[in-house]
Amino acid sequence: MGYALQPAVILRSLFAGAIIWLVFASVTPSYSKLIFQGKLSGYFAAGLAMALVSQLIVTLVTSLFSSDHATISLVQSPSAVIQGLLAGAVISAAPADMPEEALFSLVFFFIALSSVLSGLFVLLLGITRVGDFVRYIPYPIVGGFMAGLGWLMLNAGFVVSADLRINVENLGLLLEGEAILRWLPSLALALCILALGARVKSAAIMPSAIIVSLILFYAWARFVYGDPRGLEEAGWFLPKLPEVIYWKIPDLSAVGLITPAMILAGAGGIVMTIAQCALNLFFKASAQEIITERELDFNQECRVNGVANVAAGVFGGGVVGYHTPSMTTVVETMRAYGRLTGFILAIMFGLSLVFGSFIYAIIPRFLPAGLLMFVGLLFLKQWLLDSRFKLPRQDYVVVAVIALVTAAFGLLAGFFVGVVVAIALFVLEYSRMDVIKQEFSGSIHRSNLDRSFAQNQLLQQEGDKILILRLQGYIFFGTAYRFYEHLRSRITSAEGGQLGFIILDFKSVRGFDVSTMVDFQKLKKLTAGKGIKLLVSNAAPHLHTLLADGGITQAEPGYRASFDDLDRALEWCESILLQEADLLDAGRVDLEEQLAQHAIIRQRDARAVQAFLERMATKVGDTIFKQGDESDSLYFVESGRVDVLLRDEAGHVLRLRSMTAGAVIGEVGFYLGNARSASIVVTEAGVLQRLSHEALRRMEETAPQTASAVHVLIASLLSHRLSTTNRLVQELMD
């Protein structure tokens, strides 16, 4: 607070407030002109008072309670345009014989209601701390909405300057000499500001343009007409105002005259007011973060903005306001204190109510109209033209469709048509995505069960009979059909003739549409007819229920169709293949047999290995070694089964692998001298053969041929494991 009270800061804040007031005092009359037209054009002063009250309240509340001192929130033209359409819809739906005073009260009621509901909506977002929900609205819909809004603001500029909208019927009237003189200066001002803004990054451009345009206008009026006030009767100035723009809330007893047709007509405008408030609040607040390089508490901004708009609607305003990052730039550039600037600005809007007759008597109509056109052209440039080079073609189509439909049928129609087109394009695009994340054969992707050399050889040869498909995303009728067609082609091809198992892994599947069950049932019938077993793994409980109800995971004697994870499904398939080859029950695999298979060694040297081994009979639950122990020996699994368990930092235990007869345990740590990286626990009683470092050294000294064969055996097992891993990695990379 001490910083804000420094004389230099007060002076800078005063100048910043004056600049901001100049810009928005110039454009605010257009808001009244847009809302109260046609039958209610005589209520221009009341509409201007409503807009100024909204400016005062929104500015003051936001400046005092925003999470950043530089935040400047103001009533802006997008709100006035949409609320003007809301007013027009209500007026059109009202009975033709309704008195103007009652009609004015009803329009005021709808405008204030739209402000209150918009405020309550963003306030609720802030209270529930879900203010960032706007981030999830698809960008093309937002872009199309903003582009359509830009067209409406450009059109509103023509209404304010020439009392004519751009349409086929008015095209001839707009090109008449008198009409051209009205809207051409406004368009020229808009294009000038737009061009300068693209080349010069300065907050002074708009205030300077306003001052220069006023000077040029009065110079033109003096030299052409002699007396500038002579142009007043010709309609070049805003309607006359009383000396004090006195404002009070009208008698709302006329609310009882609201008809269902008026409610229906106004509902769309209220929805659009709420939507544009939330969207603009999000984008303008995000832009402010970039300008100030300070993060905002977005939920706090929602709460503050909600309170401000509710208060504006309740206390006689009603035109919706939100953040104005361009004016925050003024505060930052001039090194002013934003809260003080906002307070000063609120006072200036209050004084505008008192001295409005003098202030607005000197503002020609082309000025607020030109500022409206500028904002409209800026929106069209940013969201319709510039996005053409930033967005994919299908996304830009949505933007263009919304903008075109808005121009032809209005913002509400454009918004809903855009949503429909966006959904259609999303479905089309998503259906092109491959639901198959990865596809492997069982010869490449093996279970985490280490088996004997003979079993591994068989699984290497027969592994192509197992097809593994890892599915992903959300499966619906489009992706499910393509998935089924892929598998049908694979199964019916010559290559598919050797398939015996298909595993569908649902680990990365978030869900699927019930209609896709037809494709899964067709696949089940096709695989059953070909003698192929269809397995499912990693299905979430709700998906498992759907698959079970559809008969996909229905179990049969000797055929288990559903597994908790892919590893267990693979192990089951491998066991079936080994059983068919009479290799499943390896029972006992002694070390002498393994040495003979992997190394050229005499029988006498192979038998000599027994003298260096320690036989260990194991029972279920025995711990062979623990994670972190010294690697002083390795173990040959002669019979039984063990699990490799890893304990993480949180204390959770994960099963990495299982090993049966013919496997080797602890060989990596044994050769590298590292501590044990996991624990080994016996899950099936059997026999292990232990070889210590000291025994290996004695073997190398006394039986070098035997020691060499042991080294060859370990190298062969590691090479086989590495080769399998390399093939899997290559498949993942492809």
Side-chain angles (χ1 to χ4, degrees):
M1 182 60 68
Y3 172 79
L5 296 178
Q6 294 177 14
V9 175
I10 294 176
L11 187 61
R12 290 197 295 266
S13 300
L14 182 61
F15 277 116
I19 292 173
I20 298 171
W21 174 84
L22 175 63
V23 174
F24 279 86
S26 300
V27 74
T28 299
S30 66
Y31 305 164
S32 175
K33 185 73 175 174
L34 291 171
I35 296 173
F36 295 104
Q37 51 184 299
K39 291 182 179 180
L40 299 182
S41 58
Y43 288 88
F44 172 79
L48 180 57
M50 286 174 56
L52 289 173
V53 168
S54 293
Q55 295 282 30
L56 190 157
I57 294 175
V58 170
T59 301
L60 185 61
V61 172
T62 306
S63 297
L64 293 178
F65 301 107
S66 172
S67 59
D68 188 278
H69 80 89
T71 300
I72 300 294
S73 286
L74 292 158
V75 171
Q76 296 172 63
S77 49
S79 298
V81 169
I82 292 180
Q83 290 179 293
L85 295 175
L86 165 62
V90 171
I91 293 171
S92 298
D97 58 349
M98 179 175 287
E100 283 188 7
E101 186 175 349
L103 185 59
F104 166 72
S105 297
L106 294 183
V107 169
F108 166 79
F109 171 77
F110 274 94
I111 296 300
L113 179 64
S114 68
S115 178
V116 170
L117 293 179
S118 297
L120 289 175
F121 180 75
V122 295
L123 177 61
L124 182 62
L125 294 181
I127 292 174
T128 56
R129 306 193 68 82
V130 293
D132 285 339
F133 92 104
V134 185
R135 299 180 191 272
Y136 299 100
I137 299 177
Y139 183 88
I141 294 179
V142 175
F145 183 89
M146 293 299 184
L149 195 53
W151 167 258
L152 293 178
M153 284 189 286
L154 177 64
N155 207 339
F158 282 87
V159 172
V160 172
S161 60
D163 293 319
L164 291 170
R165 295 186 181 277
I166 304 175
N167 53 42
V168 176
E169 292 79 7
N170 292 338
L171 190 59
L173 297 175
L174 284 169
L175 295 178
E176 290 180 355
E178 182 65 23
I180 291 177
L181 285 177
R182 296 293 180 87
W183 61 257
L184 189 58
S186 301
L187 184 60
L189 174 62
L191 292 172
C192 180
I193 298 175
L194 189 67
L196 288 174
R199 291 167 173 78
V200 182
K201 303 300 180 184
S202 173
I205 289 177
M206 191 173 292
S208 300
I210 292 172
I211 294 172
V212 170
S213 63
L214 284 173
I215 293 173
L216 292 176
F217 171 79
Y218 277 99
W220 170 78
R222 172 65 64 183
F223 289 108
V224 175
Y225 283 87
D227 181 9
R229 302 313 306 173
L231 295 174
E232 185 175 331
E233 296 180 2
W236 280 85
F237 285 88
L238 297 169
K240 284 187 176 182
L241 297 171
E243 292 185 3
V244 177
I245 309 177
Y246 177 70
W247 171 239
K248 67 175 182 177
I249 298 176
D251 182 8
L252 295 181
S253 61
V255 171
L257 300 176
I258 294 177
T259 64
M262 295 173 71
I263 295 175
L264 185 62
I270 291 175
V271 170
M272 287 297 98
T273 302
I274 296 172
Q276 75 88 23
C277 178
L279 289 175
N280 274 302
L281 175 61
F282 169 74
F283 283 109
K284 298 298 181 72
S286 299
Q288 179 177 322
E289 288 182 328
I290 297 173
I291 291 169
T292 62
E293 298 182 351
R294 296 188 296 271
E295 289 190 6
L296 293 171
D297 181 344
F298 199 77
N299 291 302
Q300 172 69 5
E301 298 307 305
C302 285
R303 291 191 291 268
V304 172
N305 181 265
V307 170
N309 281 308
V310 169
V314 169
F315 291 105
V319 189
V320 173
Y322 37 80
H323 292 56
T324 315
S326 59
M327 298 301 105
T328 296
T329 303
V330 175
V331 174
E332 290 287 289
T333 302
M334 299 188 67
R335 295 182 293 119
Y337 184 61
R339 301 196 194 282
L340 180 58
T341 301
F343 184 76
I344 293 171
L345 186 58
I347 292 176
M348 288 182 171
F349 283 124
L351 293 174
S352 299
L353 283 168
V354 178
F355 302 105
S357 179
F358 168 75
I359 295 170
Y360 293 110
I362 64 173
I363 296 179
R365 288 174 61 174
F366 85 88
L367 182 55
L371 296 177
L372 272 178
M373 289 183 179
F374 160 70
V375 179
L377 289 172
L378 183 64
F379 273 38
L380 288 170
K381 177 181 180 296
Q382 290 176 339
W383 298 96
L384 188 61
L385 299 181
D386 295 347
S387 63
R388 174 65 184 87
F389 307 100
K390 300 176 182 178
L391 296 177
R393 180 178 300 176
Q394 65 273 16
D395 289 345
Y396 184 75
V397 166
V398 176
V399 174
V401 166
I402 296 178
L404 290 174
V405 174
T406 297
F409 304 103
L411 190 59
L412 187 63
F415 182 77
F416 284 111
V417 168
V419 170
V420 171
V421 173
I423 292 173
L425 289 175
F426 172 78
V427 171
L428 178 62
E429 187 66 22
Y430 198 86
S431 66
R432 294 175 180 172
M433 294 180 63
D434 197 346
V435 72
I436 301 174
K437 182 179 181 180
Q438 293 163 337
E439 184 173 345
F440 306 107
S441 73
S443 62
I444 293 174
H445 196 312
R446 297 278 296 280
S447 72
N448 289 329
L449 177 60
D450 278 356
R451 304 177 187 268
S452 69
F453 180 76
Q455 290 174 324
N456 286 332
Q457 286 292 96
L458 185 280
L459 293 177
Q460 185 66 44
Q461 296 168 5
E462 300 292 314
D464 287 339
K465 292 184 177 180
I466 305 172
L467 178 62
I468 306 153
L469 297 167
R470 285 181 169 173
L471 309 182
Q472 65 179 346
Y474 185 89
I475 306 174
F476 69 107
F477 59 90
T479 53
Y481 177 74
R482 292 180 64 245
F483 160 69
Y484 168 74
E485 285 295 305
H486 171 77
L487 274 181
R488 186 175 69 84
S489 175
R490 179 74 182 269
I491 292 170
T492 56
S493 66
E495 182 183 344
Q498 63 175 350
L499 284 176
F501 310 89
I502 295 178
I503 304 175
L504 304 180
D505 186 66
F506 282 77
K507 184 176 182 179
S508 298
V509 174
R510 298 189 302 275
F512 55 75
D513 189 88
V514 177
S515 63
T516 63
M517 192 55 63
V518 174
D519 294 299
F520 284 114
Q521 290 171 338
K522 288 163 59 179
L523 179 61
K524 178 76 171 180
K525 183 177 181 180
L526 176 63
T527 53
K530 296 288 185 178
I532 300 172
K533 293 179 173 60
L534 183 65
L535 285 65
V536 170
S537 66
N538 274 315
H542 66 288
L543 299 181
H544 187 275
T545 301
L546 292 174
L547 292 168
D549 292 344
I552 309 303
T553 57
Q554 183 177 356
E556 300 175 7
Y559 171 24
R560 182 181 173 188
S562 179
F563 295 84
D564 293 337
D565 56 57
L566 177 59
D567 184 56
R568 287 180 171 80
L570 271 170
E571 183 180 329
W572 186 85
C573 295
E574 292 171 352
S575 297
I576 297 295
L577 291 176
L578 292 172
Q579 188 176 42
E580 292 174 350
D582 294 326
L583 287 176
L584 178 61
D585 298 322
R588 176 178 177 275
V589 178
D590 59 37
L591 185 55
E592 294 179 25
E593 178 185 343
Q594 288 184 285
L595 292 176
Q597 290 175 334
H598 289 83
I600 301 174
I601 185 174
R602 292 176 297 180
Q603 188 175 8
R604 182 185 65 184
D605 292 328
R607 286 197 301 268
V609 75
Q610 293 297 331
F612 302 94
L613 299 176
E614 177 187 347
R615 187 178 186 274
M616 298 174 57
T618 62
K619 62 180 182 298
V620 176
D622 285 350
T623 299
I624 307 306
F625 54 75
K626 295 181 179 179
Q627 185 175 337
D629 287 352
E630 182 183 353
S631 299
D632 59 351
S633 55
L634 59 81
Y635 301 81
F636 299 95
V637 183
E638 187 173 295
S639 62
R641 177 168 173 161
V642 298
D643 279 355
V644 183
L645 305 178
L646 175 68
R647 182 181 295 274
D648 62 19
E649 295 179 356
H652 302 126
V653 177
L654 176 67
R655 188 191 80 155
L656 298 180
R657 302 189 71 81
S658 292
M659 298 179 174
T660 59
V664 180
I665 303 171
E667 72 281 5
V668 175
F670 179 79
Y671 276 93
L672 296 179
N674 296 335
R676 301 295 189 187
S677 59
S679 302
I680 302 294
V681 176
V682 177
T683 55
E684 183 181 316
V687 175
L688 302 182
Q689 297 288 353
R690 177 176 179 270
L691 177 64
S692 66
H693 277 129
E694 189 274 332
L696 181 59
R697 283 194 295 271
R698 285 190 291 109
M699 186 190 304
E700 291 172 338
E701 293 173 358
T702 61
Q705 294 296 328
T706 304
S708 177
V710 169
H711 291 312
V712 170
L713 169 62
I714 300 299
S716 297
L717 294 175
L718 290 174
S719 297
H720 175 76
R721 192 179 301 164
L722 179 61
S723 177
T724 302
T725 302
N726 285 341
R727 289 198 301 273
L728 179 59
V729 171
Q730 185 63 45
E731 286 291 322
L732 289 171
M733 291 177 64
D734 293 342

